[in-house]
């Protein structure tokens, strides 16, 4: 299919704007919120909440975000499948949009028996929890369930980036690594494996094509944390580890490093020695150049 239109909620529209922020096209058509181009597919999001995907295989890109009328009957959205009450493994990552700090990925296993307890901790709304709440819940989650965390520190990140590896490839490798490790830790086969989707399925496996050990049979969902609590739990653990890493880096520079990549980041940048940036920041972000032009 070369042209697909879907209608999405305000929430998803906002998520899409974040997701495509590195690929935004300079010109926005009339009545549109933004236009982006990824893998030769043009995505145009309109204020009416309609989103148009244009280009070869654009249906695959569109299927990440919602259900559309497909001529292909096999194309069922993950939203139609209920995996919630299963014993499954899920993964999520943190730090990809933050100028300072590492990327942290976590995969965890949540058995049917642990669902009630995790719900009682309030992990279902992981996205809405503030940092203080994350810290108090994460330790309880980590005591209860098997998990594996990988931290990609800034030095390594910048090295990979300079060698031409894009962020999605790094994420694919980290997710694969964490998923394999957590599955190794448990002695039963999980009913499902869910990844909070950051790239189309085809790209995910393409990024891993040179890896020896690649986990297959994954359900990808852009709304992973509501598909299964293992994704929500992984998101909380990853955030907890990320916050601890940020505290360590803040101690190193002697002031609190802001999260995100916005104005607060630009404001503290002049206080940091340029040589130190490589070990605390993702230096290819636009913030670095803004600093230099000041
Ligand atoms: Mg995610």
């Amino acid at each position: 299919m070369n042209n697909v239109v879907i209608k999405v909620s305000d929430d998803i529209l906002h998520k899409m704007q974040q997701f495509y922020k590195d690929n935004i096209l300079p010109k926005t058509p009339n009545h549109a919120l933004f236009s982006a181009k990824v893998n030769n597919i043009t995505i145009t999001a309109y204020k009416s909440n309609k989103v148009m995907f244009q280009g070869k295989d654009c249906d695959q890109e569109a299927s990440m975000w919602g259900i559309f009328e497909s001529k292909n009957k096999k194309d069922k959205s993950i939203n139609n499948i209920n995996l919630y009450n299963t014993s499954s493994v899920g993964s999520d990552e943190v730090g990809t949009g933050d100028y300072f700090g590492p990327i942290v990925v976590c995969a965890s296993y949540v058995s049917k028996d642990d669902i009630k307890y995790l719900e009682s901790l309030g992990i279902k709304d992981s996205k809405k929890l503030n940092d203080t709440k994350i810290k108090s819940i994460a330790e309880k989650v980590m005591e209860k369930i098997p998990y594996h965390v990988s931290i990609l520190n800034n030095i390594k990140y910048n090295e990979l980036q300079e060698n031409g590896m894009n962020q999605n490839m790094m994420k694919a490798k980290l997710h694969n690594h964490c998923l394999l490790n957590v599955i190794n830790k448990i002695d039963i086969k999980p009913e499902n494996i869910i990844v909070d989707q950051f790239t189309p399925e085809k790209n995910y496996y393409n990024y891993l094509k040179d890896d020896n050990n690649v986990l297959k049979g994954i359900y990808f969902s852009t709304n992973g944390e509501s598909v299964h609590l293992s994704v929500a739990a992984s998101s909380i653990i990853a955030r907890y580890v990320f916050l601890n890493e940020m505290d360590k880096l803040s101690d190193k520079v002697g002031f609190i490093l802001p999260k995100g990549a916005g104005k607060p980041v630009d404001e503290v940048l002049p206080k940091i020695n340029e040589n130190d940036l490589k070990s605390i920041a993702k230096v290819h972000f636009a913030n670095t150049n803004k600093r230099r032009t000041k």
Side-chain angles (χ1 to χ4, degrees):
M1 254 191 282
N2 289 319
N3 195 326
V4 168
V5 178
I6 59 169
K7 187 146 185 181
V8 297
S9 65
D10 288 344
D11 240 28
I12 298 286
L13 200 62
H14 180 72
K15 231 172 165 177
M16 292 179 85
Q17 206 160 3
Q18 290 296 313
F19 190 84
Y20 294 116
K21 71 175 191 298
D22 293 337
N23 309 91
I24 296 289
L25 293 170
K27 277 195 181 149
T28 308
N30 273 350
H31 307 296
L33 270 177
F34 68 89
S35 200
K37 195 163 185 168
V38 181
N39 305 326
N40 285 321
I41 295 164
T42 306
I43 300 119
T44 310
Y46 292 92
K47 290 171 187 158
S48 61
N49 289 42
K50 280 189 176 160
V51 185
M52 183 161 71
F53 297 79
Q54 292 165 290
K56 197 170 173 280
D57 292 331
C58 66
D59 43 341
Q60 216 182 0
E61 188 76 19
S63 71
M64 277 168 54
W65 300 106
I67 305 161
F68 60 93
E69 292 296 318
S70 172
K71 286 171 198 132
N72 182 354
K73 287 269 182 289
K74 279 195 303 190
D75 263 348
K76 275 245 163 107
S77 165
I78 181 85
N79 301 328
N80 294 339
I81 309 163
N82 192 357
L83 310 180
Y84 190 83
N85 283 309
T86 60
S87 299
S88 298
V89 162
S91 61
D92 199 7
E93 82 284 327
V94 177
T96 55
D98 298 278
Y99 179 69
F100 294 116
I103 290 183
V104 179
V105 177
C106 177
S108 66
Y109 172 69
V110 172
S111 74
K112 262 188 234 175
D113 300 338
D114 290 337
I115 292 175
K116 278 253 142 48
Y117 172 72
L118 293 177
E119 279 178 344
S120 78
L121 294 178
I123 76 158
K124 230 172 151 183
D125 296 314
S126 62
K127 290 260 148 73
K128 292 176 203 143
L129 300 173
N130 62 30
D131 293 351
T132 323
K133 191 92 179 139
I134 288 283
K135 285 186 178 173
S136 77
I137 295 177
E139 285 170 12
K140 293 182 186 134
V141 175
M142 289 155 91
E143 262 168 37
K144 186 78 179 169
I145 61 169
Y147 65 91
H148 185 86
V149 171
S150 272
I151 302 170
L152 179 62
N153 70 40
N154 294 97
I155 291 180
K156 188 77 190 153
Y157 176 96
N158 291 319
E159 206 178 283
L160 293 172
Q161 200 277 328
E162 275 159 31
N163 288 328
M165 190 184 285
N166 73 29
Q167 221 190 48
N168 280 346
M169 188 166 187
M170 298 179 206
K171 285 195 255 182
K173 287 179 183 291
L174 292 164
H175 275 266
N176 184 53
H177 176 79
C178 289
L179 289 166
L180 288 169
N181 270 286
V182 79
I183 287 170
N184 242 335
K185 277 182 198 167
I186 54 177
D187 46 10
I188 21 167
K189 194 175 178 285
E191 289 177 69
N192 305 285
I193 301 146
I194 303 118
V195 168
D196 194 45
Q197 184 161 29
F198 53 89
T199 189
E201 180 171 347
K202 200 167 110 188
N203 293 4
Y204 178 87
Y205 288 115
N206 206 21
Y207 289 131
L208 298 172
K209 67 178 190 305
D210 295 327
D211 290 47
N212 291 328
N213 206 350
V214 177
L215 188 71
K216 294 277 168 67
I218 296 172
Y219 283 109
F220 294 91
S221 168
T222 51
N223 210 9
E225 72 280 357
S226 55
V227 173
H228 193 263
L229 284 185
S230 57
V231 178
S234 294
S235 158
I236 285 175
I237 297 170
R239 266 173 75 186
Y240 173 76
V241 173
F242 177 79
L243 292 172
N244 285 341
E245 291 301 309
M246 284 295 272
D247 286 348
K248 283 187 221 164
L249 296 178
S250 296
D251 283 347
K252 208 170 127 180
V253 295
F255 56 88
I256 293 173
L257 290 168
K259 293 192 265 319
K263 224 176 162 190
V265 166
D266 294 332
E267 279 167 7
V268 301
L269 266 176
K271 293 204 258 177
I272 301 166
N273 187 324
E274 183 147 1
N275 297 326
D276 293 339
L277 276 183
K278 272 200 168 162
S279 60
I280 60 170
K282 302 178 185 80
V283 294
H284 68 108
F285 277 33
N287 306 75
T288 304
N289 279 331
K290 275 191 244 165
R291 175 185 198 270
R292 288 199 186 111
T293 52
K294 260 183 193 161

